[in-house]
Amino acid sequence: MLKSNTLYACFAVVAFAAAVACAGPKPNILLVIGDDMTWYDCGAYGNKDVKTPNIDRLAGDGMKFTHMFTATAMCAPTRQQLYTGLFPVRNGAYPNHSRVHAGTKSMVHHLRALGYRVGIAGKTHFGPKESFPFETVAGRGIADKPQPWQQIKAFIERDRDQPFCLVIASSSPHMPWDKGDAAAYDPASFTLPTCLPDTPATRQQLARYYAEITCLDAQLGRAMGLVEQAGLADSTLTIFTSEQGIQMPRGKWTCYDQGLRTAFIVKWPGKVKAGSTTDAMTQYVDLVPTLIEAAGGEPASIDSGRPGAPDGGRGFDGRSFINVLQGQADRHRDLVFGVHTTRGIISGSESYPIRSVRDRRFKLILNLNHTARFTNIVTENDTNGLWADWKRAAAEGDELAAMLVKRYQHRPTIELYDLKTDPHELNDLADDPAQARVIARLQRELDRWMRQQGDQGDATERINRRGKPINKKLKASLRVETDK
Ligand SMILES: [Ca+2]
């Protein structure tokens, strides 16, 4: 009896010590989000042409993730998975410009329950309001105007006894690439990634895109400066993420890494080692559980507002990676998933569902309606002349341009890439008999994920999602039906 009491006392002491170790002041949270920026297009991730001093400084002060992924390479589904911890089909916002299912909860609910005030400045691209009841700190157009920054400053500085979570969602470098100083860049001097054809339009458009990335970088610097001026730098967990990839073929609106992979840097003084890097594979749905744990909550006990969690309950699809942040783990996910629907995007194909799964080495992509022609604004509107220039280069014998132009619109049913030897996914191995087992394994994993998500592929693509398109101006051009 004495022995068991002693054991119990020991457990109690250990449990108390653990609770004390996890306790502490709740950090403020500053989340700065880019828009359509390819993950490697900043100095911290290796691009030597684009000027990003603030992103690079943040990386020097925090942890750089090399394998963070969104599951969807377009704006509204990306943001709604990031804020809900739920993958797009399960939360309902899988077409672009669509909304989550009624009742879905977001980080606003979860962090408020932990005592936070939760605000957003800039781009929203979510709905309905009940699922994302952010305090509106400032509307869109935060780039050059003074007033939004006065409002951001006031939000950061008020109510010092209450922790805040502030999302600053920039619209840069989303097309049309008209912000920043393109004249500061010399297109002829650029070192192009091997996935881009070296054409005049590629270089000219990159100059405009880089200029707008520098504009985004300045916004990050401004936000970090306001936190520092308020004396809150040491008590604030700061995140920068690039969102999904560039609006060029094989970037936005695809499941290639150029679309899904994202820059992700976390500074958390006293918790995250400055200047560190992790190769752990993580996804945007893992962020909300991580923030809940950082705020002292228990992500496993949270009701996400939706059924169909991996364990059959109502929890998140994502899992907290706080042990990665604290240097206690260098692995998180074994598999990363992707989903794309062309319904709901401007000039999108009638139905061209794409699903993908990736492990550390291989990427499997399924084109579920591959006989259709893949279309979107890149191919049908071509406002910057890039597509026409690539087609011209292809006709004149540029082999990379020819392959990219052809494969962008006409793809096989299965694609397989070895990311170790082919990081830009240019050499499709799906027809290689030696890869049959890899394909079968990844296809099983993808099937399992789609079942958990309630994703029936083409049939899901054609379901008229309940919920109004979030941008009424685009309504006429979209194929997502609205509420009856
Ligand atoms: Ca975007």
Side-chain angles (χ1 to χ4, degrees):
M1 191 66 193
L2 182 65
K3 190 176 175 185
S4 67
N5 276 345
T6 306
L7 266 177
Y8 175 80
C10 286
F11 277 130
V13 168
V14 169
F16 176 74
V20 169
C22 293
K26 298 176 191 293
N28 300 306
I29 297 164
L30 173 65
L31 171 59
V32 180
I33 307 175
D35 195 359
D36 294 15
M37 174 186 151
T38 300
W39 67 279
Y40 51 69
D41 285 333
C42 54
Y45 283 86
N47 185 317
K48 293 185 168 53
D49 294 322
V50 62
K51 299 174 183 70
T52 53
N54 294 295
I55 297 172
D56 305 347
R57 176 163 64 98
L58 185 67
D61 291 343
M63 177 179 279
K64 182 172 72 176
F65 284 64
T66 63
H67 286 72
M68 172 61 91
F69 298 83
T70 170
T72 313
M74 51 189 174
C75 305
T78 289
R79 284 142 206 280
Q80 292 179 95
Q81 72 189 262
L82 182 68
Y83 301 146
T84 63
L86 303 175
F87 282 121
V89 171
R90 185 167 162 227
N91 74 31
Y94 53 96
N96 208 6
H97 311 111
S98 66
R99 301 171 169 214
V100 296
H101 292 290
T104 305
K105 294 178 184 172
S106 70
M107 62 192 286
V108 187
H109 302 94
H110 307 314
L111 290 175
R112 273 190 186 160
L114 291 164
Y116 281 70
R117 52 195 176 88
V118 186
I120 190 166
K123 183 167 177 168
T124 52
H125 263 228
F126 50 59
K129 179 72 179 172
E130 303 76 51
S131 289
F132 304 94
F134 284 96
E135 174 185 337
T136 301
V137 176
R140 292 189 70 160
I142 59 172
D144 302 319
K145 300 173 190 165
Q147 189 182 7
W149 291 96
Q150 291 163 6
Q151 293 164 330
I152 289 168
K153 182 173 188 286
F155 180 86
I156 289 171
E157 293 185 348
R158 77 167 205 245
D159 299 332
R160 290 298 186 110
D161 293 337
Q162 186 181 19
F164 68 78
C165 171
L166 172 61
V167 178
I168 298 182
S170 177
S171 296
S172 294
H174 193 290
M175 284 273 283
W177 299 333
D178 56 359
K179 300 182 189 72
D181 181 13
Y185 283 98
D186 174 16
S189 71
F190 295 159
T191 303
L192 266 52
T194 54
C195 60
L196 295 182
D198 191 349
T199 74
T202 302
R203 287 180 176 272
Q204 288 158 9
Q205 295 307 316
L206 281 180
R208 298 175 61 192
Y209 162 74
Y210 288 169
E212 189 146 342
I213 290 175
T214 298
C215 182
L216 165 68
D217 181 82
Q219 293 166 30
L220 171 66
R222 202 164 180 175
M224 292 194 298
L226 290 176
V227 169
E228 287 160 11
Q229 286 167 28
L232 300 173
D234 288 342
S235 57
T236 299
L237 188 166
T238 302
I239 300 172
F240 168 75
T241 185
S242 59
E243 208 232 15
Q244 33 73 198
I246 186 173
Q247 185 176 308
M248 280 192 185
R250 295 172 74 93
K252 187 175 187 178
W253 299 308
T254 75
C255 286
Y256 301 110
D257 267 22
Q258 198 182 357
L260 297 182
R261 201 161 165 180
T262 177
F264 192 87
I265 302 167
V266 183
K267 175 190 173 189
W268 190 9
K271 298 280 188 178
V272 169
K273 186 179 176 188
S276 57
T277 299
T278 180
D279 295 328
M281 295 207 301
T282 48
Q283 292 214 248
Y284 267 9
V285 293
D286 298 323
L287 177 64
V288 170
T290 304
L291 294 182
I292 289 170
E293 191 167 5
E298 294 179 18
S301 69
I302 300 285
D303 180 352
S304 71
R306 292 291 298 157
D311 66 359
R314 294 174 61 86
F316 297 116
D317 287 324
R319 286 187 298 112
S320 167
F321 53 77
I322 204 160
N323 53 353
V324 173
L325 286 176
Q326 296 185 332
Q328 295 153 355
D330 57 6
R331 295 180 70 92
H332 187 65
R333 290 178 168 272
D334 294 325
L335 300 166
V336 161
F337 297 99
V339 50
H340 180 73
T341 170
T342 47
R343 295 171 74 80
I345 66 175
I346 299 168
S347 305
S349 310
E350 172 65 22
S351 174
Y352 201 104
I354 306 171
R355 305 291 184 264
S356 70
V357 59
R358 183 201 200 280
D359 62 16
R360 291 208 74 84
R361 178 156 181 192
F362 292 100
K363 163 89 68 71
L364 178 81
I365 297 176
L366 297 186
N367 300 302
L368 299 175
N369 203 359
H370 78 106
T371 56
R373 193 169 67 99
F374 182 80
T375 64
N376 57 33
I377 199 170
V378 170
T379 60
E380 306 307 297
N381 304 71
D382 195 23
T383 51
N384 59 3
L386 187 87
W387 183 244
D389 197 42
W390 285 21
K391 286 203 290 190
R392 177 200 54 76
E396 292 175 359
D398 183 322
E399 290 183 11
L400 177 60
M403 189 278 278
L404 293 176
V405 165
K406 181 182 176 195
R407 286 290 289 266
Y408 194 55
Q409 295 206 282
H410 302 282
R411 307 178 195 183
T413 184
I414 295 177
E415 299 169 64
L416 182 78
Y417 299 98
D418 183 343
L419 296 153
K420 189 173 176 186
T421 59
D422 179 26
H424 288 297
E425 297 156 284
L426 300 173
N427 183 26
D428 183 2
L429 301 174
D431 291 333
D432 180 355
Q435 304 298 345
R437 290 179 65 177
V438 172
I439 291 173
R441 173 175 62 82
L442 290 176
Q443 200 155 1
R444 276 197 305 276
E445 298 287 2
L446 191 51
D447 288 346
R448 183 178 302 148
W449 179 68
M450 288 174 65
R451 275 199 303 279
Q452 180 252 313
Q453 288 289 303
D455 182 358
Q456 298 178 49
D458 187 59
T460 294
E461 187 102 346
R462 292 174 186 278
I463 291 170
N464 295 320
R465 275 277 302 108
R466 292 176 61 80
K468 295 173 184 173
I470 53 177
N471 186 336
K472 290 176 185 169
K473 288 180 186 169
L474 291 171
K475 188 173 164 184
S477 65
L478 302 179
R479 293 186 176 127
V480 179
E481 293 209 347
T482 60
D483 281 338
K484 297 291 186 289

